[in-house]
Amino acid sequence: IQKRLARMRMLDVTVHFPLAFNLYGEYESGRLSPEAFDEALFAIETFIVRNIVYRVNSNGLNREFPAMFKKAKEEGKDLVLGLKTVINNNPFYRRDPAFLSGLKENSLQNNNKTLTKMILIHIEERLSGRERPELLNWEVECVMPESLTPAWKSGLSEKDLNEAPMYVSTLGNLTLVEKGWAHSHKSFGEKKQHFDQSLYINNILRQSSNWGVDDIKRRGERFADVAALIWPEFGLPVKREDLRKSKPIKLVVLGKTYFPKSWSDVFIMTLNRIYEVDPMGFKNILETYPNLITRVQQPSRSVRLDSGYYVVVNYSASDLLGKSKECMGLAGFNISEWNVEYE
């Protein structure tokens, strides 16, 4: 339990405190065994880690955690199973497809840096098979720098130069360095000589002669698979409404009423309204979904938004519904300000 609580401190967030305090009360009273308490804390940790790639902050999660304990108890006699069931059906819980794609494609550097460091530390410990407590004092570093120097630009293809901004802050391009590390903007050939040789997460870097977007993607896929093993799904069925034969008829977003004809309309209208009311909130969505909402039109089905960006809408009705709600939270709005009616 001490070890689990130490890991919880590494999360560097507080939104789960109401739930954790209630669980501790059950443990202290003897109604929850030490093993069950540990398992419940790990379920919370998994929920938070699986959210990091979508930047859901306290604006969204602080409305979820206070009610979780009561909902978990209402699920049945097994409190831990009840908690996992509640989390499993929460709209902010990311199952493997979303978790894996988010780790590979979404920015982590603009997020909770302590939590990003925690993910890298646990991937390193999983690959090396040993604990590395000293890494808690290290810092997260981008292999390809966020601001490309002439030395970096000269070694990249035109494709890399165009795509680098979308992948430079993703998991595949991050590593750990000691505080005071002074080699950030050196060329890759020089920089890789200074990466810590004892870290398993640096193996691919040492073996590479160049470092481009394809290399970032391959490393990201490897690390995402490891992360999914460290924080696995609960293996529970999902309560999901079947919307395949439904048709949206009315949408209300931030006080404005629309009459969509399709679920893609619902998603587009939601994004347009968010941009109209709060451009900065819309920017949070852009940073979370750099490959879903882009400046240039995508080969797959995409639509131009009022902001001038293009959004991919080639998703199922359930996915479009989920993304619409999710974007409201990412922009800092309460989901109660969004409602759709359908038949």
Side-chain angles (χ1 to χ4, degrees), residues 41-102:
L41 291 176
F42 184 58
I44 298 173
E45 177 185 316
T46 299
F47 182 34
I48 294 173
V49 169
R50 282 177 170 260
N51 261 300
I52 184 179
V53 292
Y54 292 91
R55 301 184 69 212
V56 176
N57 54 30
S58 59
N59 288 332
L61 295 183
N62 65 7
R63 292 187 292 271
E64 302 295 324
F65 277 107
M68 277 189 179
F69 181 74
K70 181 180 178 182
K71 290 179 180 179
K73 296 204 81 169
E74 290 172 352
E75 285 289 330
K77 294 181 179 179
D78 190 326
L79 180 58
V80 177
L81 179 58
L83 175 61
K84 289 182 177 180
T85 301
V86 171
I87 291 175
N88 192 64
N89 291 295
N90 188 282
F92 290 118
Y93 178 66
R94 315 296 170 179
R95 277 162 283 279
D96 277 350
F99 182 48
L100 291 170
S101 65

Side-chain angles (χ1 to χ4, degrees), residues 152 155-156 160 188-189 192 204-205 207-212 215 218:
W152 270 93
L156 297 177
D160 281 340
F188 178 68
K192 73 174 187 176
I204 298 174
L205 305 180
Q207 296 165 9
S208 301
S209 55
N210 277 313
W211 194 252
D215 302 289
R218 281 192 291 270

